[in-house]
Amino acid sequence: MRDGRWPKSPLKVMKYVVVSGGVLSGLGKGVTASSIGVLLKSAGLRVTSVKIDPYLNSDAGTMSPFEHGEVFVLDDGGEVDLDLGNYERFLDISLERDHNITTGKIYSKVIEAERRGDYLGKTVQVIPHVTDAVQSWIEDVAKRPADGSDQTPDACVIELGGTVGDIESAPFIEALRQFQFRVGRENIYFVHVSLVPVMGPVGEQKTKPTQHTVKELRGLGITPDVLVCRAETPLTDDAREKLAAFCHVSPNAVMSAHDVSNIYRVPLMLAEQGMCKVLDIDCNVTDLMVRWEKMADRADSSTEEVHIAMVGKYTGLSDSYLSVIKGLQHASLAVGRNLVIDWIEASELETVNDPSWDLLKSADGILVPGGFGDRGIEGKILAANYARTNNVPYLGICLGLQVATIEFCRNVLGLEGSNSTEFDENTPHPAVVFMPEISKTHLGGTMRLGSRPTIFQVEDCKMRRLYGGEESVDERHRHRYEVNPDLIKTIEDAGLVFVGKDETGQRCEIFELEGHPYYVGVQYHPEFKSRPDRPSPPFLGLLQAATGQL
Ligand code: GLN
């Protein structure tokens, strides 16, 4: 390959690695792309990433978690695809909303420019205007510092969503084809992730679907430098040779991405097969071994289980709560336990003696995550009540804080019919109310979004200790409703103390229940900033309490 083209950081020119996918979605392109980022990072390079989503929505903010998985929230309030969460967690970076490119954003930009008259009377077309806009966008965001320093990144991993051949991704593939000439072929690597299924009585690995997708990609003008093949078991030599021969890729560059015990093993798996050599990067294998292998081994070695009941609405679809699951996993790793999530459909708790009650009661801790809409609300309130009255560790996130506040108002303060105005506009005792600054007519991008400070109101409390004694913490938000400011004093006098508030001192951010081992609610979403080796404090507290380590 193009040996030795990656000098040490800072590089004079930006290097790009484009990761595309073929055959079907859900192959783990995001994990592959993030793992390649880890390898680049181990070589001492500053790494950033861009995710391209070819859908027409401007952003993921209005998309249902049912259909598209969780909406990931960034510091700047960007509501983006969950893959940006993978990048932030794997590479320990903070991205901006512009790092998620969508067709909606690109077309808005081009149409705006057309209305301004920027195209000087020309016919505005997909090629070159849309494809130019895509390339300029990538070049612009790739330069933005992402690792907390003010330094320009050396390398940018670009993940192209969808599968090659989709109509909507065509302009992006064309843009990336042109991009190799704009940045120089030696500065860009194309990695294609594909599926190698197994068929027949002897379990033969079939290469034809991958041959077809590569043929399609090459027909569009992009020749992959590397093939990453998703398979259940390691790719056989036979399959590797066949793929190399039919896909115009060197046999060394056909990588097996077979099933492994946990995702921390993926960077190592790629490194072991020579990914660093193929991409000409000088990986620091020791660093990889020390950090990632240790983490992977730790994840595999904890045998004693901890059960967390997750009481939600999309419990059949774990992608809808991806970052919450990650937050729980990071914290379980830290307390040395094997995490078991017991999924509980909140609405089922509304039936007395439903079997889901047994599951709830057998859990070591209960988590009520964020959510919208009234389905299952009463079930969530019952779960909060169970945790409060039985001293079971509880973490309520956003909606989870709100339902616990409603429960407290109803059952401790005796405010019958208390509710959030989101679920009952005519409630006699609004415990949770619409925030005055929020738009009632526009849904996209109008919530209280992104990073905001929470100031601790007391010298000493569990959460402040968990956050290392800090005076204030910055966490990410995504909500329209808040605890009713008029009720705060009454609630606090009865023992539910709002130990963290916003910078005005009016808005509730964190509560803790006096005299309970761990009954905590946070209005923000701590899951978005959790890292594999730096678990988010509220999650760590939950897991410590659930395992008797707090
Ligand atoms: N629906 C609630 C609100 O808008 C909670 C939002 C959430 O949990 N993200 O305030």
Side-chain angles (χ1 to χ4, degrees):
M1 296 285 300
R2 295 159 291 185
D3 223 16
R5 295 273 166 90
W6 295 74
K8 285 272 173 261
S9 173
L11 299 188
K12 282 200 199 70
V13 285
M14 173 80 62
K15 299 271 183 179
Y16 296 91
V17 179
V18 176
V19 181
S20 56
V23 185
L24 44 86
S25 60
L27 283 179
K29 247 187 323 200
V31 173
T32 306
S34 326
S35 301
I36 290 174
V38 168
L39 301 184
L40 292 164
K41 233 187 126 169
S42 83
L45 300 167
R46 292 184 191 278
V47 186
T48 187
S49 80
V50 170
K51 170 81 198 286
I52 299 176
D53 281 306
Y55 46 68
L56 269 163
N57 305 55
S58 285
D59 61 34
T62 55
M63 294 170 90
S64 158
F66 248 133
E67 219 177 283
H68 207 76
E70 93 182 344
V71 177
F72 192 80
V73 181
L74 300 172
D75 276 341
D76 69 359
E79 298 172 279
V80 296
D81 185 83
L82 53 80
D83 276 315
L84 276 85
N86 281 328
Y87 296 121
E88 288 205 342
R89 286 186 284 266
F90 264 64
L91 305 177
D92 201 5
I93 52 178
S94 289
L95 298 170
E96 298 169 16
R97 56 159 54 93
D98 288 350
H99 287 97
N100 193 186
I101 305 180
T102 66
T103 300
K105 284 183 190 171
I106 293 289
Y107 273 73
S108 299
K109 192 167 184 193
V110 170
I111 291 167
E112 242 171 63
E114 184 274 330
R115 292 289 81 186
R116 272 198 312 265
D118 291 2
Y119 297 113
L120 305 174
K122 287 229 160 48
T123 309
V124 181
Q125 295 179 296
V126 173
I127 305 172
H129 302 105
V130 168
T131 47
D132 278 353
V134 172
Q135 295 177 71
S136 307
W137 192 304
I138 294 173
E139 273 187 326
D140 167 42
V141 292
K143 283 194 212 111
R144 299 191 196 169
D147 61 358
S149 74
D150 56 0
Q151 303 287 306
T152 307
D154 302 301
C156 176
V157 180
I158 303 170
E159 180 189 349
L160 176 63
T163 40
V164 167
D166 298 345
I167 287 183
E168 50 184 19
S169 64
F172 291 104
I173 300 216
E174 172 57 19
L176 291 166
R177 184 195 67 74
Q178 294 175 15
F179 200 55
Q180 59 190 317
F181 298 107
R182 192 193 279 226
V183 301
R185 186 63 183 94
E186 67 282 11
N187 296 320
I188 190 164
Y189 293 77
F190 291 99
V191 176
H192 193 55
V193 183
S194 179
L195 176 74
V196 176
V198 165
M199 291 278 287
V202 287
E204 190 193 347
Q205 289 183 332
K206 294 292 195 183
T207 61
K208 195 68 90 185
T210 302
Q211 292 180 40
H212 276 291
T213 168
V214 173
K215 196 170 162 198
E216 181 135 30
L217 189 60
R218 292 181 66 203
L220 297 168
I222 292 177
T223 301
D225 298 299
V226 186
L227 274 185
V228 172
C229 302
R230 281 288 291 123
E232 271 171 41
T233 51
L235 204 63
T236 61
D237 289 344
D238 225 25
R240 176 171 279 126
E241 275 158 31
K242 221 168 177 178
L243 284 166
F246 285 96
C247 298
H248 191 66
V249 174
S250 147
N252 304 335
V254 180
M255 313 263 154
S256 170
H258 44 272
D259 293 353
V260 280
S261 55
N262 63 66
I263 57 168
Y264 307 128
R265 298 212 183 275
V266 180
L268 291 163
M269 175 167 64
L270 297 178
E272 275 160 16
Q273 293 178 71
M275 181 67 100
C276 304
K277 191 151 190 293
V278 175
L279 295 180
D280 298 325
I281 24 174
D282 196 8
C283 295
N284 180 340
V285 182
T286 324
D287 173 66
L288 284 173
M289 298 298 230
V290 170
R291 278 201 65 222
W292 292 83
E293 187 150 56
K294 234 191 194 163
M295 216 139 58
D297 288 347
R298 200 137 48 93
D300 283 347
S301 64
S302 1
T303 46
E304 206 177 328
E305 292 180 344
V306 55
H307 283 252
I308 300 295
M310 180 103 108
V311 184
K313 178 165 151 186
Y314 307 113
T315 49
L317 297 156
S318 50
D319 262 7
S320 310
Y321 298 113
L322 187 68
S323 294
V324 177
I325 298 171
K326 295 291 173 197
L328 286 172
Q329 283 171 347
H330 302 160
S332 312
L333 209 60
V335 299
R337 294 296 168 93
N338 183 16
L339 172 72
V340 181
I341 298 179
D342 294 325
W343 294 96
I344 295 179
E345 190 57 45
S347 53
E348 287 174 6
L349 294 175
E350 291 162 16
T351 308
V352 188
N353 293 335
D354 187 272
S356 52
W357 272 105
D358 300 331
L359 209 53
L360 186 84
K361 288 181 182 171
S362 64
D364 304 306
I366 296 175
L367 192 152
V368 177
F372 298 83
D374 59 5
R375 186 165 62 84
I377 284 301
E378 291 303 320
K380 291 178 189 175
I381 292 174
L382 289 169
N385 172 267
Y386 178 81
R388 181 177 63 77
T389 52
N390 290 280
N391 284 336
V392 179
Y394 175 89
L395 175 61
I397 296 177
C398 202
L399 181 64
L401 168 141
Q402 297 174 0
V403 294
T405 308
I406 298 168
E407 191 281 320
F408 195 82
C409 288
R410 285 186 192 173
N411 301 319
V412 178
L413 302 182
L415 301 176
E416 213 176 302
S418 181
N419 212 330
S420 163
T421 54
E422 181 178 6
F423 316 122
D424 178 5
E425 268 184 57
N426 304 314
T427 169
H429 302 290
V432 177
V433 294
F434 200 76
M435 287 182 288
E437 70 267 36
I438 304 297
S439 166
K440 288 209 167 175
T441 51
H442 280 68
L443 291 187
T446 57
M447 285 187 249
R448 179 167 180 256
L449 284 166
S451 184
R452 316 266 174 155
T454 291
I455 323 286
F456 282 106
Q457 308 292 307
V458 290
E459 274 303 316
D460 186 40
C461 61
K462 286 192 191 87
M463 282 287 273
R464 187 160 181 178
R465 262 175 269 147
L466 283 161
Y467 273 104
E470 299 286 341
E471 274 172 26
S472 80
V473 291
D474 290 330
E475 293 276 14
R476 298 177 183 175
H477 296 70
R478 184 172 189 253
H479 65 126
R480 293 191 177 87
Y481 293 81
E482 63 172 329
V483 173
N484 186 352
D486 297 341
L487 276 179
I488 290 176
K489 175 133 194 351
T490 323
I491 295 174
E492 289 198 319
D493 288 347
L496 192 66
V497 185
F498 293 97
V499 295
K501 291 195 179 146
D502 77 343
E503 65 274 42
T504 68
Q506 303 300 312
R507 186 158 281 155
C508 297
E509 294 282 6
I510 309 173
F511 76 53
E512 279 183 24
L513 180 63
E514 282 172 354
H516 188 289
Y518 193 81
Y519 194 77
V520 168
V522 286
Q523 186 57 74
Y524 51 79
H525 290 267
E527 66 269 27
F528 295 133
K529 285 174 74 167
S530 188
R531 297 285 187 264
D533 48 4
R534 231 181 316 118
S536 161
F539 284 88
L540 185 61
L542 176 71
L543 268 292
Q544 285 177 342
T547 55
Q549 301 180 38
L550 189 66

